Amino acid sequence: TLMHMSMILKRPEALFFRDKVVLLSGDAFVAEDIERAAVPSAERVIILPDTGIADVKSNDEANIMRSYALEATTPYVPVICLLHSAEHKHSSLSGGGQCSYVSIDALKMAMIASACMTPGALSMICNLFK
């Protein structure tokens, strides 16, 4: 996923937000990685799933645990956690913090629903992500 994001940031269209995005690889359970990433001074943290993994459930569970770890260390920084499946979204117990869970399945279904409700909406969305 970091490779895909770095490819997106190299495109000419990313000129407007390239300087606002920092891609880092590390572990949310390691204090040195949290300090290196300057999470306490971050505006937002986004946890991306591993899209090339076969065991989707364990990856979602690990990402939920990462979001809990980040919420425990820095409760004032909003965390957005992208999950593979919408069914794992309900397994995350929200403690009333600033953690949001979004699933890839829900995004796909929302795109299909918008395509059914509004002709041409899916074509417009696909052209935006060209």
Side-chain angles (χ1 to χ4, degrees), residues 23-38:
L23 297 176
L24 297 172
S25 179
D27 196 352
F29 299 115
V30 179
E32 291 83 21
D33 287 345
I34 291 176
E35 289 175 17
R36 180 178 56 89

Side-chain angles (χ1 to χ4, degrees), residues 97-120:
Q98 294 199 30
C99 199
S100 302
Y101 299 95
V102 180
S103 69
I104 296 173
D105 289 346
L107 290 173
K108 288 178 185 176
M109 292 300 163
M111 286 177 39
I112 291 172
S114 66
C116 291
M117 299 296 289
T118 309

Side-chain angles (χ1 to χ4, degrees), residues 114-127:
S114 66
C116 291
M117 299 296 289
T118 309
L122 195 56
S123 299
M124 182 188 76
I125 292 171
C126 290
N127 284 330

Side-chain angles (χ1 to χ4, degrees), residues 56-73:
V56 173
K57 184 178 183 201
S58 67
N59 187 250
D60 281 350
E61 290 171 353
N63 285 338
I64 290 170
M65 291 305 294
R66 286 183 185 101
S67 68
Y68 288 162
L70 287 171
E71 192 174 13
T73 56

Side-chain angles (χ1 to χ4, degrees), residues 44-91:
R44 179 171 294 113
V45 176
I46 301 174
I47 301 172
L48 299 174
D50 185 2
T51 55
I53 198 165
D55 190 9
V56 173
K57 184 178 183 201
S58 67
N59 187 250
D60 281 350
E61 290 171 353
N63 285 338
I64 290 170
M65 291 305 294
R66 286 183 185 101
S67 68
Y68 288 162
L70 287 171
E71 192 174 13
T73 56
T74 54
Y76 48 87
V77 177
V79 177
I80 299 172
C81 183
L82 186 63
L83 302 173
H84 288 280
S85 180
E87 67 185 29
H88 302 133
K89 183 178 175 182
H90 299 295
S91 66

